[in-house]
Amino acid sequence: MTQTLRLHYAPDNASLIIRLVLTEMGLPFETVLVDRTKSAQNSTTYLALNPNGLIPVLETPQGPIFETAAILLWLSERMGQMAPNPQSDERSAFLKWLFFASNTLHADLRILFYAEKYIDPSQANTLRAGIRPRLRHHLKLLDQVAQDAPDWFHAQTPSVLTYYVACMMRWMALYPHGSDRSWFTLADTPYLQRILQSLETRDATRVAITAEGLGVTPFTSPAYATPLEGSAT
């Protein structure tokens, strides 16, 4: 790759997943802060990169890429890392769970975090209460995958999916601010818990902790990022 990658990020947003993967792959990259306190994600400049106004965007030699799963898939294919290769018998299983993470788990998390965007604000807590059992079911399914310990879903040689799920579980323990989070208990998914514990010892995680102020146990006992500049997207 002849051009530098540029990650448009905000602390503890979905860009965290991309930062972890870029660092795990050993790729040089620049970062550009999208200051959510100033609604920079809605600026003309940022919307030219991602017309949806969501974080992250990764600028690449082929142009800007948005959507977390698209960035992860592009990186894994371009670099030949952190995913089964396209000819592997494991490729189909990896892809279905990667897109489950993106299209099902992450989509439902957005409803939990931003319920007021999907329904009348007076009904937001009712919507959140309804989505939590679905999230618990999603985690149960992923825990079963982790129990089988495929090569592409464990912490010893993490895939892009491993970090994706770890970050989403971090956010479940933190967001939305001031809302009931008693529904989420890490010990309910013991195989995922082991993955998160192991990821916290990896160099990529330690780098992200320093870069985004995530605290010493960002996955198993997370604290809010410092500085606070938004919530998970």
Side-chain angles (χ1 to χ4, degrees):
M1 185 171 294
T2 58
Q3 292 180 261
T4 300
L5 299 170
R6 302 181 78 217
L7 175 63
H8 295 257
Y9 84 102
D12 214 14
N13 278 230
S15 50
L16 172 60
I17 304 160
I18 310 304
R19 180 191 291 276
L20 286 160
V21 167
L22 289 168
T23 306
E24 185 73 43
M25 288 182 173
L27 297 175
F29 64 98
E30 298 175 353
T31 56
V32 181
L33 176 65
V34 183
D35 190 345
R36 292 186 61 182
T37 65
K38 299 179 181 178
S39 296
Q41 72 273 22
N42 297 319
S43 68
T44 301
T45 300
Y46 191 77
L47 291 175
L49 298 172
N50 183 354
N52 300 305
L54 297 176
I55 301 166
V57 167
L58 184 68
E59 291 190 72
T60 79
Q62 283 73 49
I65 307 175
F66 55 84
E67 294 296 329
T68 300
I71 298 170
L72 294 175
L73 192 57
W74 183 86
L75 284 170
S76 67
E77 291 180 346
R78 184 79 172 175
M79 299 300 128
Q81 296 185 54
M82 299 185 69
N85 69 64
Q87 289 73 43
S88 169
D89 291 342
E90 294 293 304
R91 183 70 171 183
S92 60
F94 165 78
L95 286 176
K96 73 182 181 184
W97 288 110
L98 175 63
F99 283 90
F100 172 83
S102 174
N103 297 352
T104 303
L105 178 57
H106 201 167
D108 282 352
L109 273 182
R110 283 192 55 80
I111 294 173
L112 179 72
F113 298 154
Y114 305 114
E116 292 83 0
K117 294 184 178 182
Y118 295 87
I119 199 170
D120 185 281
S122 66
Q123 299 299 313
N125 286 336
T126 300
L127 180 57
R128 288 190 173 102
I131 206 71
R132 289 174 186 134
R134 281 177 52 85
L135 291 168
R136 288 175 62 89
H137 178 68
H138 300 337
L139 290 178
K140 181 179 178 180
L141 292 177
L142 286 166
D143 199 54
Q144 291 170 354
V145 177
Q147 182 178 6
D148 294 336
D151 290 342
W152 42 266
F153 198 45
H154 57 70
Q156 285 66 47
T157 53
S159 72
V160 296
L161 176 61
T162 316
Y163 278 118
Y164 197 172
V165 172
C167 288
M168 287 191 284
M169 293 183 71
R170 165 185 167 78
W171 301 329
M172 289 179 200
L174 292 175
Y175 301 109
H177 288 278
S179 180
D180 174 32
R181 292 187 295 277
S182 62
W183 66 273
F184 174 74
T185 303
L186 183 57
D188 289 343
T189 51
Y191 297 97
L192 291 174
Q193 183 178 28
R194 292 176 193 174
I195 289 176
L196 269 56
Q197 288 170 336
S198 295
L199 285 180
E200 287 179 338
T201 68
R202 296 194 69 81
D203 290 344
T205 303
R206 311 318 293 177
V207 170
I209 285 171
T210 300
E212 300 198 15
L214 302 181
V216 295
T217 51
F219 302 130
T220 60
S221 184
Y224 293 114
T226 51
L228 289 172
E229 291 177 2
S231 62
T233 61

